[in-house]
């Protein structure tokens, strides 16, 4: 008797070998896509959208590339997800995590072909990941006690992070900016207080850090250009003349004088609202919405600086850094928390006038102004700087530091190899495969720089058999170098996140033995 079909007509299912094959192929294809962006000599990708305006993004950031791809393969989606989480969690290592997961799957494919059960591979990978993590923990350096050393650690980490990005030419300058900005945060990981403003013009070298807050707006006409000891009311309220806002209302009048009366009433209503606002005892009013000419005049007469149309991001951050609340009603002034700052003045950056709030309540607030030749460059510079800021703020909390340049991978690989030799049974093959996958990262870094990776990695492996070795790949000179002398450092938290996320993602994809695709929902004919 024929078995009845369970699924609808268009649904498809793939079982066993075919399902696993589809997972492996998808994951490895994604890895091959981003692996050329890894390391200091990694190349950039141009992403062109097919939507309106054909927007172009030029980027080297793994998470940004993968976020923009629309992909059908389920396993590839898992990898895109881990790269997003890595970006949100620690900021850097978005490419490494995908590459490592892909390499683990590439090795697993060979093991599955050799008739080793996926569960055996998974338990081997688990043991190997634990061993690799403990190998790193034994070799971390923690300079939390010594402020000078810790600051130089942060500088090194920032320079290492930036060296694979567009800012690598001026990495000292930007590393200094990033470290200063993060040091002001005094250990909080809330990057809201660091504002990044992009202004085309000048070169990347002209970027600078400014204490305080800069709002990308102009000061209105006839208003004070400089205010000291400002009391700021941040609001989100309609300041256009209160028209009769009853939709579909029709007002019938029998003479023009009645129209004038209605207009007069509207004006009076507006005047009352402005009086209420002035009663807060403020000298600066920032509104998210428009402020019409009439209320603006009233504010100017009262000597109050009124700023309109401050974008939402702008006023949220302004309220945060000046310590005020965003108000929308003004009936009881005593319950509204005002923001404070020492000086508000107008400054020029390039061609544009901006408003500068200095001496704000939240001392850790600062603004980084990026200059650059074009919008694409500025966007990429902002992404790179954001990665550096994320990594640094995480490192300030978890102060453990490792060397970079393929050194951690070689350390882990050596320990994992030792473990494979001690482990009996089929698991040892999986553990050995894990060690090979780890070595793939230095290999790819060398390949991307056009070096002979086989030779360099063999030299590295030999160097790492000596105790206390600091060898890693020095991409600039194209040889094996001492990472401690070259000052190439990475945050332990980033490496740990890469290792654990990649292992878990590979594990998840390995467990799959069937892929079921639903039938699309049929549209009813609405005729």
């Amino acid at each position: 008797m024929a078995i009845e079909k369970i699924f609808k007509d268009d649904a498809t299912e793939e079982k066993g070998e075919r399902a696993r094959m589809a997972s492996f192929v998808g994951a490895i294809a994604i890895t091959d896509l981003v692996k050329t962006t890894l390391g200091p000599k990694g190349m950039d990708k141009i992403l062109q959208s097919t939507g309106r305006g054909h927007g172009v993004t030029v980027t080297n950031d793994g998470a940004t590339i993968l976020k923009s791809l629309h992909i059908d393969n389920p396993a590839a989606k898992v990898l895109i997800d881990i790269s997003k989480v890595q970006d949100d969690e620690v900021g850097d290592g978005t490419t490494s995590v995908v590459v490592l997961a892909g390499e683990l799957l590439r090795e697993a494919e060979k093991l599955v072909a050799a008739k080793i059960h996926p569960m055996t591979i998974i338990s081997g990978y688990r043991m190997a990941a634990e061993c690799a993590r403990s190998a790193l923990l034994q070799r971390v350096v923690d300079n939390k006690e010594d402020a000078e050393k810790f600051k130089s650690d942060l500088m090194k980490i920032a320079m290492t992070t930036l060296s694979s990005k567009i800012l690598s030419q001026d990495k000292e300058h930007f590393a200094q900016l990033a470290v200063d900005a993060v040091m002001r945060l005094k250990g909080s990981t809330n990057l809201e207080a660091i504002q990044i403003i992009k202004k085309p013009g000048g070169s990347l070298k002209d970027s600078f850090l400014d204490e305080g807050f800069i709002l990308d707006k102009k000061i209105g006409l006839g208003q004070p250009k400089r205010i000291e000891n400002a009391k700021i009311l941040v609001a989100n309220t309609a300041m256009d003349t209160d028209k009769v806002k009853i939709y579909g209302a029709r007002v019938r009048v029998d003479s023009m004088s009645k129209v004038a009366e209605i207009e007069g009433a509207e004006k009076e209503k507006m005047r009352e609202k402005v009086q209420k606002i002035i009663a807060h005892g403020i000298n600066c009013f920032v509104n998210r919405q428009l402020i019409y000419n009439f209320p603006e005049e009233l504010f100017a007469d009262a000597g109050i600086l009124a700023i309109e149309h401050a974008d939402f991001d702008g006023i949220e951050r302004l309220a945060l850094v000046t310590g005020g609340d965003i108000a929308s009603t003004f009936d009881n002034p005593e319950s509204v928390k005002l923001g404070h700052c020492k000086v508000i003045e107008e400054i020029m950056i390039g061609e544009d006038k901006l408003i500068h709030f200095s001496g704000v309540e939240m001392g850790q607030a600062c603004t980084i102004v990026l200059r650059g030749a074009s919008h694409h460059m500025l966007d990429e510079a902002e992404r790179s700087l954001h990665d550096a800021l994320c990594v640094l703020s995480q490192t300030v909390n978890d102060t453990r530091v490792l060397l970079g340049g393929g050194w951690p991978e070689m350390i882990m690989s050596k320990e994992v190899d030792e473990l494979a030799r001690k482990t009996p049974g089929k698991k040892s093959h999986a553990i050995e495969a894990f060690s090979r996958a780890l070595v793939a990262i230095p290999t790819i870094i060398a390949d991307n720089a056009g070096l002979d990776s086989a030779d360099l990695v063999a030299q590295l492996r030999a160097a790492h058999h000596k105790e206390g070795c600091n060898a890693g790949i020095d991409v600039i000179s194209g040889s094996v170098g001492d990472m401690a002398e070259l000052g190439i450092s990475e945050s332990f938290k980033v490496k740990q996140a890469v290792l654990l996320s990649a292992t878990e993602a590979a594990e998840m994809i390995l467990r799959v033995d069937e892929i079921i695709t639903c039938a699309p929902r049929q549209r009813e004919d609405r005729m």
Side-chain angles (χ1 to χ4, degrees):
M1 194 181 106
I3 298 174
E4 288 296 317
K5 266 179 55 183
I6 308 173
F7 299 124
K8 280 192 177 173
D9 284 346
D10 297 345
T12 57
E13 64 169 329
E14 293 181 349
K15 286 196 164 142
E17 279 305 301
R18 294 201 49 186
R20 201 161 285 134
M21 183 72 193
S23 305
F24 286 149
V25 166
I28 290 171
I30 284 285
T31 308
D32 289 344
L33 176 80
V34 293
K35 76 178 187 189
T36 52
T37 66
L38 190 70
K41 294 274 170 108
M43 303 306 262
D44 290 10
K45 307 253 181 260
I46 288 186
L47 311 170
Q48 185 171 18
S49 82
T50 50
R52 284 207 317 257
H54 294 284
V56 171
T57 313
V58 183
T59 181
N60 165 303
D61 179 39
T64 312
I65 296 170
L66 294 178
K67 247 191 316 219
S68 319
L69 301 179
H70 292 287
I71 281 180
D72 225 10
N73 186 301
K77 284 191 175 152
V78 173
L79 290 193
I80 291 176
D81 251 16
I82 56 169
S83 118
K84 272 190 199 156
V85 169
Q86 179 81 6
D87 196 29
D88 298 340
E89 185 61 28
V90 283
D92 197 23
T94 47
T95 313
S96 317
V97 72
V98 176
V99 169
L100 183 56
E103 290 300 331
L104 287 172
L105 289 168
R106 201 182 300 243
E107 293 294 335
E109 191 177 14
K110 297 174 197 162
L111 295 173
V112 171
K115 299 280 182 288
I116 294 178
H117 192 279
M119 281 307 171
T120 314
I121 301 176
I122 285 173
S123 66
Y125 276 5
R126 282 250 166 109
M127 287 167 66
E130 205 33 64
C131 163
R133 188 169 166 267
S134 59
L136 282 188
L137 275 170
Q138 286 161 14
R139 307 292 298 265
V140 292
V141 179
D142 194 342
N143 286 329
K144 174 162 66 186
E145 308 307 322
D146 186 344
E148 277 304 304
K149 267 192 182 159
F150 182 52
K151 195 162 180 190
S152 83
D153 275 353
L154 285 182
M155 276 297 287
K156 286 177 193 165
I157 289 176
M159 274 157 54
T160 307
T161 300
L162 292 172
S163 62
S164 63
K165 311 267 194 288
I166 194 169
L167 302 176
S168 58
Q169 303 309 316
D170 310 311
K171 61 183 177 191
E172 281 93 4
H173 180 61
F174 282 100
Q176 191 63 54
L177 287 188
V179 171
D180 288 349
V182 169
M183 286 307 231
R184 291 179 72 98
L185 290 179
K186 302 188 179 57
S188 98
T189 49
N190 179 14
L191 295 178
E192 288 282 298
I194 300 176
Q195 183 198 18
I196 298 179
I197 285 188
K198 299 174 291 197
K199 281 280 165 221
S203 71
L204 283 169
K205 269 208 175 65
D206 302 336
S207 307
F208 61 91
L209 178 104
D210 195 314
E211 57 92 28
F213 180 85
I214 296 179
L215 193 63
D216 198 350
K217 287 281 163 263
K218 294 188 178 67
I219 291 181
L221 292 170
Q223 294 178 348
K225 295 276 189 249
R226 179 187 165 93
I227 290 181
E228 294 189 3
N229 295 333
K231 294 190 185 68
I232 306 164
L233 177 61
V234 185
N236 183 2
T237 179
M239 296 297 288
D240 32 9
T241 20
D242 281 336
K243 298 190 174 55
V244 181
K245 284 191 180 156
I246 308 162
Y247 292 104
R250 298 173 69 181
V251 183
R252 284 207 174 143
V253 290
D254 42 20
S255 71
M256 275 308 284
S257 59
K258 292 279 171 49
V259 180
E261 273 175 37
I262 293 176
E263 283 182 352
E266 283 179 356
K267 265 194 154 172
E268 271 314 304
K269 206 171 161 195
M270 194 74 235
R271 183 174 276 128
E272 276 171 29
K273 189 170 188 177
V274 172
Q275 291 303 338
K276 277 182 190 164
I277 292 172
I278 294 173
H280 287 63
I282 54 171
N283 49 14
C284 174
F285 176 67
V286 182
N287 193 17
R288 160 118 205 284
Q289 302 177 26
L290 277 172
I291 301 178
Y292 268 23
N293 295 358
F294 176 61
E296 195 170 35
E297 263 174 48
L298 295 177
F299 282 129
D301 292 343
I304 290 178
L305 168 62
I307 302 166
E308 63 175 3
H309 242 227
D311 53 356
F312 197 68
D313 201 27
I315 70 160
E316 289 248 302
R317 204 177 254 142
L318 183 60
L320 174 84
V321 298
T322 56
D325 285 341
I326 298 178
S328 48
T329 56
F330 310 102
D331 292 330
N332 30 1
E334 60 283 344
S335 66
V336 175
K337 200 167 153 212
L338 297 180
H340 294 282
C341 79
K342 291 210 178 73
V343 181
I344 301 180
E345 56 193 342
E346 197 170 49
I347 56 169
M348 290 277 292
I349 296 177
E351 306 291 293
D352 300 338
K353 291 182 176 169
L354 300 98
I355 304 171
H356 182 230
F357 296 77
S358 52
V360 288
E361 283 270 301
M362 190 173 171
Q364 51 260 60
C366 59
T367 300
I368 295 176
V369 179
L370 290 178
R371 308 297 310 275
S374 70
H375 283 289
H376 301 135
M377 234 172 134
L378 286 172
D379 290 344
E380 178 61 2
E382 181 186 23
R383 277 190 290 271
S384 315
L385 197 59
H386 184 261
D387 284 3
L389 291 172
C390 283
V391 175
L392 291 177
S393 66
Q394 294 292 341
T395 313
V396 171
N397 277 357
D398 182 346
T399 50
R400 292 171 292 184
V401 175
L402 296 162
L403 297 174
W407 177 87
E409 284 78 12
M410 293 313 281
I411 292 281
M412 293 192 277
S413 154
K414 181 184 164 199
E415 289 294 321
V416 172
D417 252 349
E418 303 270 312
L419 178 70
R421 291 202 192 104
K422 293 180 204 151
T423 311
K426 281 186 175 177
K427 277 187 202 167
S428 62
H429 293 293
I431 299 175
E432 209 174 321
F434 195 93
S435 149
R436 282 199 297 275
L438 283 169
V439 177
I441 288 191
T443 310
I444 292 170
I445 291 177
D447 278 341
N448 285 348
L451 307 171
D452 180 354
S453 59
D455 178 36
L456 271 178
V457 173
Q459 284 183 32
L460 254 187
R461 189 179 283 127
H464 271 270
H465 268 281
K466 304 188 188 83
E467 275 305 304
C469 157
N470 292 338
I473 292 181
D474 176 9
V475 179
I476 310 303
S477 69
S479 58
V480 172
D482 185 324
M483 295 291 113
E485 279 174 27
L486 292 166
I488 298 175
S489 299
E490 292 188 60
S491 163
F492 168 72
K493 195 161 182 183
V494 173
K495 276 290 168 225
Q496 172 177 289
V498 166
L499 179 72
L500 301 181
S501 307
T503 314
E504 281 168 16
E507 207 174 285
M508 194 168 170
I509 295 170
L510 267 177
R511 284 172 184 270
V512 174
D513 77 329
E514 184 166 358
I515 298 174
I516 303 171
T517 317
C518 295
R521 202 176 60 186
Q522 296 297 330
R523 296 201 163 174
E524 297 94 24
D525 287 333
R526 297 228 169 115
M527 295 303 282

